[in-house]
Amino acid sequence: AIKKEVLKPLVHTEVMYRRPMYKTISLFGKTVSDAQVDIINKYAGKIEEINVDLGSNVNKDDILIIQELHDLDAELLKAQARYREADATASKTDTEYNADYYKYKADYELAQINFERYKKLHEMGAVSKLEYDKIKQVMVNAQAAYESLADQKLYDGVPASLYAKEQVAQRRYQEFVLLRNKKSDMVLKAPRSGIISYRNAEVGAMVPANTKVLTVTDTSGIYIDCPLSETDVAAIHMGMDVTVSIESLAQTYAGVITYVSPAMDPTTKTYMVRITLTQPDGSLRGGMFAQSGVDVLQ
């Protein structure tokens, strides 16, 4: 008898177990202030007044430091006086020019009429050549006086004699404005609201130009930059709501992802993701360790 072979079907088995459908992408970083602005003096000078210290809260345009202004005030008064004098001279020259122009023009026109009349009388033999020559000379003199004003070279439509005076007044005004701006620059003001986080200034100290004397840190906005791998960044997009934990404060804050880097950092081989806190408070400072997470579907 022939023994029949029993064929057994091939069966694949797999163990089933519970696992979440979502995975959590962890985000780690440090808090960064919205802005940090260094206060740098433009001109060298002695510090006369300081109105802030480390940790002081300031508002935009608050006066922080005043440099010594006594000598500058004196220079400013002199410059203002020179400008007013030059401006008055230019105005006087303008008035005189206009008055002379119309006077010399009228004199010349009258002299022309008299000359034409005497010319006819001389041709008729009614007046002597001497009288005729005198009237002719009067006309020539009046013409020269008139043309000396009327035929002046123009600069931007202004006669040369007036232009020269106006240019002097303009230069004096520019000198005055430069000194006025210098005085304004020697009164250092807060460029924005924030906290004084750096101070390198004392009353009475001479400070060279371009010295960083203060830093204003604006903590009204706080964000966290988190590096992320290529594998995880694809699941992150702007507008995602997140909860951020600040370990040092033992507090959590609401945040939103406001930026996802479009390119990998060639040094770290990661992408940058920025979280902006929606309601930061006064206890937050720059440099605090922060962590968050985003649940995404696997």
Side-chain angles (χ1 to χ4, degrees), residues 31-36 192 217-223 274 276 286:
T31 56
V32 180
S33 301
D34 187 46
Q36 186 167 290
R192 62 194 298 160
T217 299
D218 184 355
T219 58
S220 61
I222 295 289
Y223 63 87
R274 174 167 293 181
T276 300

Side-chain angles (χ1 to χ4, degrees), residues 112-162:
Q112 280 183 308
I113 293 172
N114 285 336
F115 171 71
E116 293 297 330
R117 185 169 64 248
Y118 268 77
K119 182 179 179 182
K120 290 180 181 179
L121 291 172
H122 176 63
E123 291 172 349
M124 295 169 56
V127 297
S128 66
K129 187 175 186 305
L130 179 62
E131 289 178 295
Y132 168 73
D133 288 341
K134 286 182 179 179
I135 293 300
K136 183 178 180 180
Q137 188 61 50
V138 170
M139 188 270 293
V140 170
N141 292 341
Q143 182 182 14
Y146 169 66
E147 290 180 350
S148 69
L149 295 181
D151 295 341
Q152 284 188 33
K153 185 177 181 179
L154 300 180
Y155 296 89
D156 297 329
V158 179
S161 59
L162 298 182

Side-chain angles (χ1 to χ4, degrees), residues 39-45 67 178 181-182 185-186 188 207-211:
I39 309 299
I40 298 174
N41 63 314
K42 188 174 181 180
Y43 299 100
Q67 293 179 267
L178 286 173
N181 291 344
K182 181 178 180 180
D185 288 335
M186 292 179 74
L188 280 61
V207 182
N210 301 315
T211 299

